[in-house]
Amino acid sequence: MESFEIETGGRTEFVDITDRVRSAAVRSGKKRGCVFVYVPHTTAGITINEHADPDVADDIRRTLDRLVPWDGPYRHCEGNAAAHVKASLLGHCAVVPLEGGALALGTWQGIFFAEFDGPRRRRVLVQVIGE
Amino acid sequence: MESFEIETGGRTEFVDITDRVRSAAVRSGKKRGCVFVYVPHTTAGITINEHADPDVADDIRRTLDRLVPWDGPYRHCEGNAAAHVKASLLGHCAVVPLEGGALALGTWQGIFFAEFDGPRRRRVLVQVIGE
Amino acid sequence: MESFEIETGGRTEFVDITDRVRSAAVRSGKKRGCVFVYVPHTTAGITINEHADPDVADDIRRTLDRLVPWDGPYRHCEGNAAAHVKASLLGHCAVVPLEGGALALGTWQGIFFAEFDGPRRRRVLVQVIGE
């Protein structure tokens, strides 16, 4: 399993990690299977969406801010409950099929690390299973 | 890896693809592992839920419409930002364990392709990992 | 594939199943791969989030109640449409990488079974793929 680090710059921020995941998948030497991109944090998530227009990630980020506002009637004592909720809505693992040694991402798809309580130093795990 | 195509008929529509996924899993010849059903699009998603009563998928579809309305203060220039957001909320890959050569779906579970910006011709990938 | 049962006590409840998943992963004897924790129900889901402070799971549970209220303009005849919608928002499968025979969970991460239409007796499947 490989891992890499990210430095996020704002409280909420979507970071395109497609190239780093692709490199890790190629280094695995596997040709057919699935790539699992895992976030070992509880106030960050991961998603796959369009990365041609950066406004798309921004619309996702801002819609989550609207649905789960930072200030609310939360009980968690650390003040970042909204970040935890958004992490669970988006999820902690992206799965991408691997075929012919390449990620089977669609034409417009990129993989985004979703920071919900930054800025922080974060880690991403890439596990490749297959042959 | 197998793939199949879907023609969606409305802007938002949930299409039951359980039988097509099951057939692809059987054709893989594998007996134990997991089946990964992947959507290579950025304005469509996938989910597992009850398929006995079609009203369930309809309630999910309409709740997402309420939470993420088509018209909103989005920045994405193509006018379909809501579809992108809903795709990320639902996710792009459904995972189903495979045991004894059969999908380990629960009694009421079916697999739905979720169109959020149709009508379109779409593609679904089915990757089976295991023995 | 292993499975275990849970008895939930309220209509909505998050149950920490981390230890049971870890035990199943260890019993598999595999050292490297991924663990798939699957919920074969349509009114329950699964998520990974902080399990040090139980208020975090409670904040997620209550935010979902706010976004998808029990009573609403749903069509599903059984009266539990909100539970179905919440199951799809959270998802039915948690993926955790396995490395050195151990779950690669982050320091604060735990695995939660999310009951949305209890109390009920529920089942969780644990499939481990790898070597």
Side-chain angles (χ1 to χ4, degrees), chain A residues 20-40:
Chain A
R20 277 172 280 191
V21 173
R22 183 178 285 124
S23 300
V26 167
R27 275 192 297 272
S28 78
K30 297 197 191 303
K31 297 302 176 197
R32 189 202 159 275
C34 276
V35 178
F36 302 91
V37 192
Y38 185 80
V39 172

Side-chain angles (χ1 to χ4, degrees), chain B residues 32-34 97-99, chain C residues 1 34-37 125-129:
Chain B
R32 188 202 159 275
C34 276
L98 185 75
E99 195 71 16
Chain C
M1 185 159 62
C34 276
V35 178
F36 302 91
V37 193
L125 312 181
V126 183
Q127 180 78 300
V128 185
I129 301 187

Side-chain angles (χ1 to χ4, degrees), chain C residues 10 92 100 118:
Chain C
H92 287 84

Side-chain angles (χ1 to χ4, degrees), chain A residues 38 75-76 88 92 127-128, chain C residues 32 47-48 53 58-59 109:
Chain A
Y38 185 80
R75 294 177 186 168
H76 181 43
S88 277
H92 287 83
Q127 182 76 302
V128 185
Chain C
R32 188 200 159 277
T47 194
I48 292 178
D53 176 4
D58 210 53
D59 284 333
Q109 287 183 320

Side-chain angles (χ1 to χ4, degrees), chain B residues 3-4 13 18 24 42-43 52 54 60 66 70 74-75 81 83 85-86 92-93 103 107 112 115-116 123 126 131:
Chain B
S3 69
F4 58 83
E13 180 185 4
T18 313
T42 58
T43 52
I60 299 169
R66 174 175 60 76
W70 188 261
Y74 306 114
R75 293 177 187 170
V85 176
K86 291 191 275 188
H92 287 83
C93 189
L103 299 179
T107 312
F112 290 94
E115 174 64 79
F116 294 127
R123 209 157 61 94
V126 182
E131 301 131 37

